[in-house]
Amino acid sequence: MAGGVNRGNTNLPLFETKAARGRPIHRLYCLTMVVAILSMWAYRLTHIPAAAGRFPWLAMLFAEVVFGLYWFISQVARWHVVYRYPFKDRLSSRYKDEKLPAVDIFICTADPTMEPPSMVIGTVLSVMSFNYPPEKLSVYLSDDAGSELTFYGLLEASQFAKRWIPFCKKYHVEPRTPQRYFSDTIPFDGSEFSKQWSDMKVLYDDMKNRVDSAAARGSVSKEVRDQHRGFSEWNSTATRQDHQSIVQILIGGWNPAAVDAEGNRLPTLVYLSREKRPGKPHNFKAGAMNALIRVSSEISNAPVILNVDCDMYANDPDAVRDALCFFLDEKQGQRISYVQHPQYYYNVVKDDVYANVNLAVNEIELCGLDGFGSALYIGTGCFHQRESLSGKKYSGSHKIECHNVEDTTKGRGVRELEEASKALAACGYENGTLWGKEMGLVYGCPVEDIATGLTIQCRGWRPVFYTPRKHAFLGIAPTSLDVCLVQYKRWSEGMFQIFLSKYCPFVYGRGKISLGAQIGYCNYLLWPPLSLPTFCYAIVPAISLIRGTPIFPEASTSWFFVFAYVYIAKTGYTLAEDLLLGDTLRGWCNLQRMTFIRRSTALFFGLLDNVKRHLGLKETSFALTSKVVDDEARKRYEKGVMEFGSDSIMLLIITTLALLNLFGLGWGVFVRTALMSSRPRLVSEVVICAAMVALNLPVYEAVFLRRDAGSLPPGVKFKAAVVASIACMIAAS
């Protein structure tokens, strides 16, 4: 062994890739579905009715063509599913601590009200406590609100870390965010650990109370301000949108004197709030990330970067070592640009009422994209190779070397580093540069992370999607329907915007990434157009029932079995898939419900805003509502009860479609049946309306039964009833 690197087993890979099992079954399913879908289209084209029923028939033809094409795209994403398995033991035997590369960790926050400082510092403390040499870790918090409250929270965390980090490592504490840890464990057995636990909880509660009290007051006391020079950056003229660059190094981890309560080295900890001026574009999170890339290059310049959202704590203390198995692999590591983890949440209730975690997406579809040498960069829980994120093209010689923070600081003091870094965070620094275009994260798109990941791959790099058995990061899921839909509206709008831009995978990625990867990207970029066929299936069958006009083949014909096979096979396959992944039957039902709700609301407005943008019209605006905070709403969420409770136009659409299908089913079953001949012609229409009614059971409960604050407002109920009734009367006339 020489220089801390064991050369005895360098021929063994640090990770392996395995193809998923069950591929023959999936391909047989795809073959039969392709035949059935083509038969459906043939039936629609060869049985177009006379003028009276032509419009609903063509509407269903349009819906089935779009759904069929999208099904094909989604199956391509599942065609070559692979899973990655790192070998941490080989990494540890091959690289001693002194030879491991340094890692910079970026955390972004933008609003101390929506993202309370006590929550943010929990994330900070969790990543500071990684099982990794602390002198090689540098944690950067970007505060786009420029809030002294967030700075105060980080200042408190820097002191608490001196006790928290050694406690975590001594007792192998997990999870390593205090709020979650102390809410999950209560050891009272009289042991030394129990005493240490109690003392640590008192320290944490005291710190949290101080931070929360300051946040409630909206200011930091003069006594506290006088204790640290950093507060001098906030003066009477500074506002959220108008302030100078603020860089404060709270812990200089390269300094041997920066130690915890037991004398062990501490990670570097830096607060950053980039300069903002009125009229100067700041490019939201992408701009914050690019400022972090530049500032960190001045202070620590680690070759590996991890970025996480401020509400997503590190759940696995060995996550860094897992990622390094990919970057440091002798054969494949040089080309790996980033290692993306799936997005999971700690506050998801049983059966996941809002379907926040789609197991098939995380465990199959995104792994299938990895099988084509691609992976979505989703903006959090991602380890990057700095060179790939900074805009460099892959050249075949990007080996990550051992790096110490001292190599970057070069003996400079804290204040000198802070002043040098401020210039890199100035709002005019990027003028005339390639930042936001070919360097750093891409500007001009609500989902800049996905566009950035695509541009990195088109520069020759190859990412990895890694799904560990133990989730590496856990975030906070939306706990009300309104917040969930606004989130999906933003995502879908941004993804379709990418498809319509120069970053369309079929254009930008042509000849640079595989065709399978291009199609795999479109599995997500084409979400918004799915709203249109969804409306067709939510409206046309109900109207057809009322009018008595069949739009599907009669049950006695062979064509009926073609349609029945498509619906039964697709439903059965997705159900079996979800159950095998560990979901419940009710959880799968909730996923189907939320898929319908998202497509008919959030995805529709994502599509509408893209159309408006291209026409130069004003876009639809939605104010993001707060997450669940009051006890009653929290109890409803924990019981799996949907939280409506707002006058959003999205909820009006949901309620109107639910009532329309209820009226249509009632008319078809109780009125139309009496008028029909002995041979039922509208079986398919009745089944589809019944399925729609089943999906909307929580909506009917909110309309007719619930009286709590989370039910639908009376105005929404009234408007929806009027619109649905008018539609039914017009159809019946």
Side-chain angles (χ1 to χ4, degrees):
M1 187 169 74
V5 181
N6 186 347
R7 301 296 181 185
N9 61 348
T10 54
N11 59 320
L12 295 176
L14 292 179
F15 73 93
E16 68 176 354
T17 303
K18 293 183 179 180
R21 294 178 295 177
R23 293 167 67 184
I25 296 175
H26 174 255
R27 293 181 179 181
L28 177 62
Y29 160 73
C30 289
L31 177 62
T32 59
M33 281 289 289
V34 166
V35 173
I37 290 172
L38 291 176
S39 300
M40 284 177 59
W41 294 352
Y43 172 79
R44 287 292 183 193
L45 290 170
T46 57
H47 291 73
I48 298 176
R54 183 167 296 175
F55 178 76
W57 190 275
L58 294 177
M60 297 307 291
L61 171 62
F62 164 77
E64 286 154 5
V65 168
V66 173
F67 278 145
L69 292 174
Y70 185 77
W71 176 87
F72 170 76
I73 291 173
S74 68
Q75 298 314 305
V76 169
R78 297 159 179 255
W79 196 253
H80 185 43
V81 178
V82 299
Y83 298 104
R84 311 284 188 168
Y85 300 92
F87 301 113
K88 289 196 295 283
D89 54 340
R90 295 179 186 175
L91 177 77
S92 298
S93 64
R94 196 172 303 174
Y95 294 92
K96 301 307 178 184
D97 284 356
E98 66 271 13
K99 287 299 178 180
L100 289 171
V103 179
D104 286 344
I105 303 172
F106 297 167
I107 302 170
C108 295
T109 183
D111 190 328
T113 303
M114 298 293 293
E115 299 160 346
S118 58
M119 178 192 74
V120 175
I121 63 177
T123 300
V124 171
L125 289 166
S126 72
V127 297
M128 291 180 72
S129 307
F130 275 134
N131 289 336
Y132 202 74
E135 66 275 11
K136 291 181 177 288
L137 289 177
S138 298
V139 181
Y140 295 81
L141 176 65
S142 169
D143 176 18
D144 251 14
S147 171
E148 65 174 7
L149 301 174
T150 302
F151 174 71
Y152 172 57
L154 195 65
L155 180 62
E156 287 280 5
S158 68
Q159 298 302 313
F160 180 71
K162 296 177 181 179
R163 297 286 300 275
W164 176 249
I165 294 176
F167 172 75
C168 289
K169 295 185 176 181
K170 180 178 180 180
Y171 295 107
H172 307 288
V173 162
E174 292 184 34
R176 295 187 176 180
T177 179
Q179 186 171 0
R180 291 287 301 150
Y181 173 70
F182 288 122
S183 65
D184 291 345
T185 58
I186 309 177
F188 291 117
D189 55 5
S191 64
E192 177 64 23
F193 167 67
S194 178
K195 182 178 182 302
Q196 291 283 332
W197 185 96
S198 299
D199 292 344
M200 191 59 59
K201 188 175 188 307
V202 170
L203 287 175
Y204 172 69
D205 288 341
D206 288 345
M207 177 195 71
K208 186 176 184 298
N209 288 335
R210 291 193 297 272
V211 173
D212 287 344
S213 296
R217 292 193 307 270
S219 63
V220 179
S221 67
K222 184 179 184 304
E223 179 184 0
V224 172
R225 292 175 64 93
D226 291 342
Q227 293 176 5
H228 195 279
R229 62 180 178 81
F231 287 106
S232 63
E233 299 281 1
W234 283 268
N235 53 50
S236 58
T237 62
T239 65
R240 178 172 180 165
Q241 298 297 334
D242 188 6
H243 62 80
Q244 78 283 7
S245 300
I246 303 174
V247 179
Q248 289 291 305
I249 301 175
L250 300 180
I251 301 176
W254 63 88
N255 186 346
V259 295
D260 60 30
E262 296 187 3
N264 302 308
R265 297 281 291 275
L266 284 168
T268 295
L269 182 61
V270 181
Y271 172 90
L272 165 66
S273 184
R274 58 196 172 113
E275 182 185 19
K276 286 188 177 180
R277 299 299 180 193
K280 300 286 186 180
H282 56 81
N283 297 300
F284 307 101
K285 183 181 176 180
M289 282 286 293
N290 287 343
L292 283 168
I293 294 171
R294 295 191 298 270
V295 168
S296 64
S297 69
E298 186 70 25
I299 298 173
S300 51
N301 200 34
V304 177
I305 293 172
L306 162 65
N307 84 277
V308 293
D309 285 344
C310 65
D311 62 350
M312 181 165 280
Y313 67 83
N315 187 57
D316 183 358
D318 290 320
V320 175
R321 294 180 182 270
D322 275 340
L324 290 181
C325 289
F326 298 102
F327 290 123
L328 297 180
D329 184 79
E330 280 74 11
K331 292 184 178 180
Q332 302 178 64
Q334 293 187 27
R335 197 175 186 182
I336 292 177
S337 53
Y338 56 85
V339 179
Q340 177 66 65
H341 286 260
Q343 197 162 2
Y344 283 98
Y345 310 96
Y346 70 81
N347 64 326
V348 172
V349 294
K350 182 182 178 181
D351 301 322
D352 195 5
V353 63
Y354 297 119
N356 287 304
V357 177
N358 190 325
L359 291 174
V361 170
N362 284 339
E363 303 294 333
I364 297 178
E365 289 184 357
L366 293 176
C367 296
L369 193 59
D370 193 11
F372 289 110
S374 185
L376 292 186
Y377 168 38
I378 60 177
T380 184
C382 189
F383 291 86
H384 300 266
Q385 191 170 160
R386 180 182 286 270
E387 289 189 332
S388 70
L389 191 58
S390 299
K392 291 188 177 181
K393 294 183 178 181
Y394 175 72
S395 64
S397 58
H398 295 277
K399 186 175 181 180
I400 292 177
E401 301 290 348
C402 169
H403 175 87
N404 296 313
V405 179
E406 295 92 327
D407 299 336
T408 304
T409 58
K410 298 176 181 178
R412 291 177 292 174
V414 166
R415 297 204 177 190
E416 185 179 355
L417 288 168
E418 289 174 348
E419 290 303 316
S421 300
K422 286 180 180 179
L424 302 177
C427 60
Y429 181 86
E430 296 179 350
N431 294 343
T433 71
L434 295 177
W435 284 99
K437 300 173 185 175
E438 298 180 17
M439 298 176 65
L441 272 71
V442 173
Y443 293 157
C445 178
V447 286
E448 67 286 325
D449 35 29
I450 291 181
T452 300
L454 178 61
T455 61
I456 289 173
Q457 293 165 57
C458 289
R459 291 196 290 265
W461 298 89
R462 290 293 175 263
V464 164
F465 187 78
Y466 174 46
T467 55
R469 291 184 179 179
K470 179 179 182 179
H471 304 319
F473 305 95
L474 292 174
I476 300 177
T479 54
S480 73
L481 182 60
D482 209 26
V483 173
C484 180
L485 294 180
V486 170
Q487 184 183 69
Y488 267 84
K489 185 264 178 186
R490 184 175 66 251
W491 289 346
S492 63
E493 177 189 356
M495 287 190 288
F496 195 48
Q497 185 178 334
I498 292 174
F499 183 80
L500 298 176
S501 72
K502 70 175 184 178
Y503 296 112
C504 175
F506 294 123
V507 178
Y508 195 83
R510 184 180 180 184
K512 301 173 184 175
I513 60 176
S514 68
L515 179 60
Q518 296 172 33
I519 297 174
Y521 260 95
C522 293
N523 192 31
Y524 306 97
L525 303 187
L526 291 176
W527 276 1
L530 293 176
S531 60
L532 300 181
T534 300
F535 277 127
C536 291
Y537 259 83
I539 297 172
V540 176
I543 298 298
S544 297
L545 260 182
I546 296 170
R547 293 180 65 88
T549 305
I551 54 172
F552 292 98
E554 292 186 22
S556 59
T557 67
S558 58
W559 287 110
F560 172 82
F561 295 99
V562 172
F563 282 77
Y565 177 79
V566 170
Y567 300 136
I568 293 172
K570 183 179 184 302
T571 302
Y573 189 88
T574 57
L575 173 59
E577 191 176 66
D578 256 33
L579 294 178
L580 288 172
L581 290 172
D583 203 354
T584 64
L585 178 59
R586 181 168 291 182
W588 176 83
C589 291
N590 288 336
L591 174 61
Q592 307 314 303
R593 176 181 299 115
M594 286 304 303
T595 298
F596 166 71
I597 289 175
R598 290 165 184 161
R599 287 180 176 180
S600 58
T601 54
L603 272 58
F604 172 69
F605 283 105
L607 175 66
L608 187 63
D609 278 357
N610 271 284
V611 172
K612 287 183 175 182
R613 180 181 298 106
H614 280 80
L615 295 176
L617 302 176
K618 183 179 179 181
E619 300 172 23
T620 308
S621 61
F622 292 89
L624 184 61
T625 53
S626 298
K627 296 177 181 178
V628 172
V629 289
D630 64 274
D631 291 337
E632 292 302 316
R634 186 178 295 109
K635 289 177 182 177
R636 288 192 292 272
Y637 174 67
E638 290 172 352
K639 292 177 181 178
V641 177
M642 273 194 165
E643 189 77 13
F644 298 96
S646 77
D647 292 323
S648 168
I649 189 174
M650 292 191 186
L651 298 187
L652 177 60
I653 293 174
I654 294 168
T655 311
T656 301
L657 293 177
L659 292 178
L660 176 63
N661 279 273
L662 183 64
F663 297 161
L665 182 63
W667 182 275
V669 173
F670 298 110
V671 178
R672 183 58 61 185
T673 301
L675 304 177
M676 287 165 53
S677 64
S678 59
R679 186 175 64 182
R681 298 183 302 154
L682 301 170
V683 171
S684 299
E685 290 81 354
V686 170
V687 170
I688 290 175
C689 268
M692 294 297 300
V693 168
L695 285 178
N696 284 291
L697 287 178
V699 181
Y700 302 133
E701 184 182 5
V703 172
F704 301 116
L705 302 178
R706 290 173 57 183
R707 295 295 181 267
D708 55 70
S711 65
L712 284 162
V716 172
K717 298 178 188 179
F718 176 76
K719 293 174 186 176
V722 169
V723 174
S725 299
I726 292 174
C728 290
M729 287 187 289
I730 293 174
S733 61

